[in-house]
């Protein structure tokens, strides 16, 4: 007699240690093999876009901190850029450099968390992650020095940044920049040729370049698939056109490439930081902008290269003190669109690793 | 730098291929006839020289008289961009063709627009709410939602 196997449904989450927040994966399994995956969102939906329509432009800066809380500085950066473009505000040079320094520090910190949690998902519970927390702490200390906060910075303003850096900040960044390449080497020693990491990640969850582009994937995931596309280079904003840095790309587009991609990007961020702290000019850090800003009627779409991908803001102004429409293009939500493509046919343990390699922050996905 | 294409120039090309599809062409954006969105997007995606292979952003705005769906397209090949717009005047049951068959990246974004603004995308394989739960009354990003 032949027994028939029927596919069955398993819910991962909403509260599951590997889901980086409150998030559900509805998986359909045939034995251990994944037939289909459907991500289910909304458990952290706070209606930020709706709330923002009732608040002034300045009051919305703290909201952007709460989108991707592992990369609040870059979220700030994207929003102030959009409003500056809309209202035609000039930014002093020193402030642009400060923004770049903060954004690159933030990128390193976010990538550290991405790689750390990925190793967690591969079964290396906590040890590599805590190594990475060690360096992230240093970055958070730097941010605390600048704005007194460690998670939600609210540092950037229209026309600059909220206040100048203290005297001891640049030497501290210099020290960090000097030490960081050594720490990255240390992670490489731990993970790069680790047998288990290789076995779990090489050739798993492959994302070809054409699929990545079709699904609007952005950021390290897109580049790991071999597409040389970085908004810092291809559509430069702030003062990124003044720095000399490379865009690393992967070739296979598997989990291993995505992990390598983030490591290589950290090295490039260190390079940008080195140049930025050499070049930073003295001067003003903020132009005078009325606190009840009324941008002229119109609309704007500004995008930046956030650590997780392309972060865009689409703002519509009707000439009043509050935005008529406040839309965030969340990189993590759109990157999740390929999860189904990448994980079909793999085992359930691989699903966790593939999901980890996407690097999401649910607060940004749900908004 | 990503070069924004001039709306009027692209609109001429579209008009040659699909007469009557463009309602109004401006400097920065093209307003389309909402019924021909899918054909135009396919044209922009497949025509050599335009090659819009990447849908950056898809969203909608409620202007009370109508809904405006906004598409931000990018061509990675040529590094240029274009903004498309289409209007839905039916407030009770606004619909517009889905572009998921061209760009997979439209999937979640269209569902988000449906969830928060209530615009249905015809031809989407999974047109249901994305953030709010099934059974939620109304669409919160509409300006008349309290």
């Amino acid at each position: 007699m032949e027994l028939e196997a029927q596919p069955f449904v398993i819910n991962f989450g909403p509260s599951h240690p590997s889901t980086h927040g409150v998030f559900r994966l509805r998986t359909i399994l045939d034995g251990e093999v994944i037939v289909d995956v459907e991500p289910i969102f909304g458990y952290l939906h706070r209606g930020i876009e709706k709330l923002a329509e009732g608040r002034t432009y300045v009051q919305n800066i703290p909201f952007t901190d709460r989108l991707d809380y592992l990369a609040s500085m870059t979220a700030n950066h994207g929003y102030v850029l959009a409003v500056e473009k809309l209202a035609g505000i000039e930014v002093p040079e020193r402030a642009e450099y400060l923004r770049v320094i903060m954004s690159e520090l933030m990128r390193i910190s976010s990538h550290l968390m991405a790689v750390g949690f990925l190793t967690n998902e591969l079964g290396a519970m906590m040890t590599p992650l805590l190594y990475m927390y060690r360096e992230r702490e240093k970055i958070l200390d730097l941010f605390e020095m600048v704005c007194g906060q460690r998670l939600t910075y609210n540092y950037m303003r229209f026309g600059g940044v909220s206040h100048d850096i203290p005297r001891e900040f640049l030497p501290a960044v210099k020290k960090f920049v000097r030490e960081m390449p050594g720490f990255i080497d240390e992670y490489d020693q731990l993970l790069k040729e680790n047998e288990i990491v290789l076995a779990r990640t090489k050739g798993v969850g492959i994302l070809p370049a054409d699929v990545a582009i079709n699904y609007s994937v952005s950021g390290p995931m897109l580049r790991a698939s071999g597409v040389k596309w970085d908004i810092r280079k291809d559509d430069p904003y702030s003062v990124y056109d003044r720095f000399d840095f490379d865009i690393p790309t992967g070739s296979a587009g598997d989990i291993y490439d995505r992990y390598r991609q983030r490591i290589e990007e950290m090295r490039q961020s260190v390079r940008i930081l080195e140049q930025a702290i050499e070049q930073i000019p003295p001067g003003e850090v903020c132009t005078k902008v009325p606190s009840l800003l009324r941008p002229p009627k119109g609309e704007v779409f500004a995008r930046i290269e956030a650590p997780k991908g392309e972060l865009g803001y689409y703002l519509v102004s009707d000439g009043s003190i509050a935005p008529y429409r406040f839309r965030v293009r969340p990189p993590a939500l759109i990157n999740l669109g390929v999860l189904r493509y990448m994980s079909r046919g793999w085992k359930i343990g691989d699903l966790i690793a593939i999901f980890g390699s996407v690097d999401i922050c649910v607060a940004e996905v749900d908004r | 730098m990503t070069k924004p294409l001039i709306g009027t120039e692209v609109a001429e090309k579209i008009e040659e291929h699909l007469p009557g599809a463009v309602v109004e062409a401006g400097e920065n954006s093209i307003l389309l006839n909402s019924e021909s969105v899918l054909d135009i997007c396919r044209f922009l995606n497949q025509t050599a020289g335009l090659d819009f292979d990447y849908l950056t952003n898809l969203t909608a705005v409620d202007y009370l008289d109508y809904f405006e769906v906004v598409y931000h397209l990018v061509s990675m090949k040529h590094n240029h961009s274009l903004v498309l717009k289409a209007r839905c005047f039916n407030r009770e049951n606004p619909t517009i063709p889905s572009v998921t068959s061209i760009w997979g990246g439209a999937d979640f974004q269209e569902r988000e627009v449906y969830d928060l603004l209530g615009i249905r995308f015809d031809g989407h394989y999974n047109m249901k709410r994305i953030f709010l739960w099934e059974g939620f009354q109304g669409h919160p990003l509409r300006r008349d939602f309290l």
Side-chain angles (χ1 to χ4, degrees):
Chain A
M1 190 183 78
E2 209 167 286
L3 288 172
E4 250 181 56
Q6 276 190 336
F8 61 97
V9 178
I10 278 198
N11 280 307
F12 268 88
S15 295
H16 186 273
S18 78
T19 55
H20 303 241
V22 202
F23 175 83
R24 181 150 66 101
L25 282 172
R26 187 172 175 274
T27 54
I28 299 174
L29 301 173
D30 179 7
E32 238 189 299
V33 179
I34 291 153
V35 180
D36 203 357
V37 181
E38 188 190 2
I40 293 167
F41 315 100
Y43 297 95
L44 263 178
H45 181 62
R46 295 151 293 170
I48 280 188
E49 290 182 4
K50 180 74 180 176
L51 288 169
E53 287 174 5
R55 293 156 60 102
T56 67
Y57 284 89
V58 183
Q59 284 176 333
N60 284 332
I61 300 177
F63 273 173
T64 62
D65 287 326
R66 282 143 183 89
L67 292 169
D68 180 358
Y69 49 77
L70 290 175
S72 320
M73 281 287 188
T74 47
N76 272 188
H77 197 171
Y79 178 57
V80 295
L81 272 179
V83 175
E84 281 158 7
K85 213 166 145 186
L86 188 63
I89 300 168
E90 290 285 316
V91 184
E93 217 173 44
R94 186 177 173 81
E96 292 280 26
Y97 275 92
L98 286 176
R99 286 180 182 180
V100 167
I101 291 173
M102 301 309 162
S103 293
E104 292 310 310
L105 284 171
M106 198 79 253
R107 191 181 316 277
I108 296 176
S109 148
S110 174
H111 281 355
L112 282 172
M113 287 299 93
V115 174
F117 279 110
L118 176 63
T119 56
N120 235 12
E121 256 113 64
L122 294 173
M125 273 318 253
M126 289 299 165
T127 309
L129 179 65
L130 285 173
Y131 273 94
M132 284 156 201
Y133 261 113
R134 185 184 60 189
E135 272 65 66
R136 181 172 179 259
E137 275 304 302
K138 292 173 189 162
I139 297 174
L140 295 192
D141 285 346
L142 289 171
F143 286 149
E144 194 178 4
M145 202 187 273
V146 172
C147 59
Q149 274 293 347
R150 294 170 63 82
L151 195 68
T152 49
Y153 310 109
N154 189 19
Y155 180 55
M156 301 197 189
R157 293 288 185 279
F158 309 137
V161 294
S162 67
H163 38 259
D164 206 348
I165 44 176
R167 204 175 304 135
E168 59 272 25
F169 178 75
L170 280 181
V173 177
K174 253 179 210 159
K175 181 166 174 282
F176 175 78
V177 165
R178 212 171 38 242
E179 291 172 351
M180 192 62 200
F183 290 127
I184 299 177
D185 291 340
E186 195 180 31
Y187 312 144
D188 268 355
Q189 249 173 7
L190 268 174
L191 301 168
K192 192 179 178 185
E193 280 154 20
N194 182 306
E195 197 111 343
I196 302 169
V197 171
L198 289 177
R200 291 290 309 277
T201 60
K202 274 269 183 193
V204 180
I206 291 174
L207 178 64
D210 54 331
V211 177
I213 292 174
N214 188 271
Y215 276 85
S216 304
V217 170
S218 55
M221 266 186 84
L222 178 67
R223 292 188 285 275
S225 295
V227 184
K228 204 166 185 167
W229 182 263
D230 189 315
I231 296 168
R232 291 173 295 170
K233 275 266 199 240
D234 290 301
D235 193 10
Y237 53 96
S238 218
V239 286
Y240 275 109
D241 45 354
R242 299 186 194 175
F243 304 118
D244 177 31
F245 64 102
D246 299 324
I247 306 172
T249 50
S251 50
D254 52 9
I255 301 178
Y256 186 74
D257 272 10
R258 291 196 272 277
Y259 142 67
R260 293 304 309 160
Q261 181 66 28
R262 296 198 168 95
I263 295 280
E264 294 306 325
E265 282 188 15
M266 282 196 263
R267 291 189 202 276
Q268 296 304 324
S269 290
V270 171
R271 270 180 76 188
I272 297 174
L273 281 171
E274 271 171 1
Q275 297 166 50
I277 49 182
E278 284 304 317
Q279 292 175 17
I280 185 168
E284 286 288 305
V285 294
C286 198
T287 45
K288 277 220 156 38
V289 176
S291 57
L292 274 183
L293 183 70
R294 289 170 202 268
K297 265 188 191 178
E299 55 172 63
V300 69
F301 180 66
R303 52 197 187 133
I304 62 159
E305 189 66 40
K308 294 184 170 60
E310 182 181 325
L311 175 69
Y313 287 90
Y314 176 68
L315 304 175
V316 178
S317 164
D318 58 351
S320 70
I321 53 170
Y324 188 80
R325 177 82 167 90
F326 176 95
R327 146 86 173 161
V328 187
R329 182 222 190 259
L333 170 71
I334 296 166
N335 284 355
L336 273 177
V338 283
L339 185 67
R340 179 191 222 155
Y341 178 91
M342 291 192 295
S343 47
R344 266 188 211 154
W346 291 99
K347 299 256 163 62
I348 202 157
D350 299 319
L351 172 68
I352 302 296
I354 294 168
F355 179 68
S357 74
V358 179
D359 181 23
I360 68 159
C361 177
V362 178
E364 182 193 69
V365 169
D366 287 351
R367 281 161 291 142
Chain B
M1 280 299 253
T2 303
K3 185 172 148 249
L5 291 188
I6 312 288
T8 43
E9 287 172 12
V10 184
E12 273 172 31
K13 285 185 193 171
I14 297 173
E15 274 294 305
E16 263 172 44
H17 183 74
L18 295 156
V22 175
V23 176
E24 195 185 317
E27 180 94 347
N28 306 316
S29 63
I30 306 176
L31 183 61
L32 306 173
N33 187 340
S34 64
E35 280 146 27
S36 41
V37 164
L38 185 61
D39 296 330
I40 296 168
C41 287
R42 192 168 288 132
F43 171 73
L44 293 171
N45 178 243
Q46 291 169 356
T47 307
L50 294 170
D51 296 298
F52 285 102
D53 48 8
Y54 192 85
L55 175 77
T56 293
N57 184 36
L58 190 162
T59 187
V61 189
D62 179 8
Y63 288 105
L64 289 170
D65 294 336
Y66 52 86
F67 295 104
E68 194 166 81
V69 184
V70 187
Y71 304 82
H72 288 92
L73 309 181
V74 170
S75 164
M76 286 194 169
K77 202 169 161 193
H78 306 292
N79 200 1
H80 58 217
S81 64
L82 184 69
V83 184
L84 299 180
K85 291 175 177 180
R87 288 176 184 171
C88 299
F89 288 92
N90 182 348
R91 209 167 169 80
E92 295 307 308
N93 189 21
T95 52
I96 195 164
S98 164
V99 293
T100 41
S101 55
I102 306 168
W103 299 291
D107 179 356
F108 289 162
Q109 305 192 67
E110 285 183 350
R111 274 179 67 191
E112 190 184 326
V113 170
Y114 167 64
D115 189 358
L116 302 178
L117 284 137
I119 302 169
R120 292 198 80 89
F121 288 83
D122 277 341
H124 190 291
Y125 73 99
N126 190 16
M127 192 83 272
K128 58 182 191 188
R129 288 185 182 270
I130 187 167
F131 294 141
L132 303 166
W133 55 97
E134 292 300 325
F136 184 88
Q137 291 297 312
H139 301 282
L141 269 182
R142 286 189 177 190
R143 297 295 292 198
D144 54 6
F145 181 92
L146 293 174

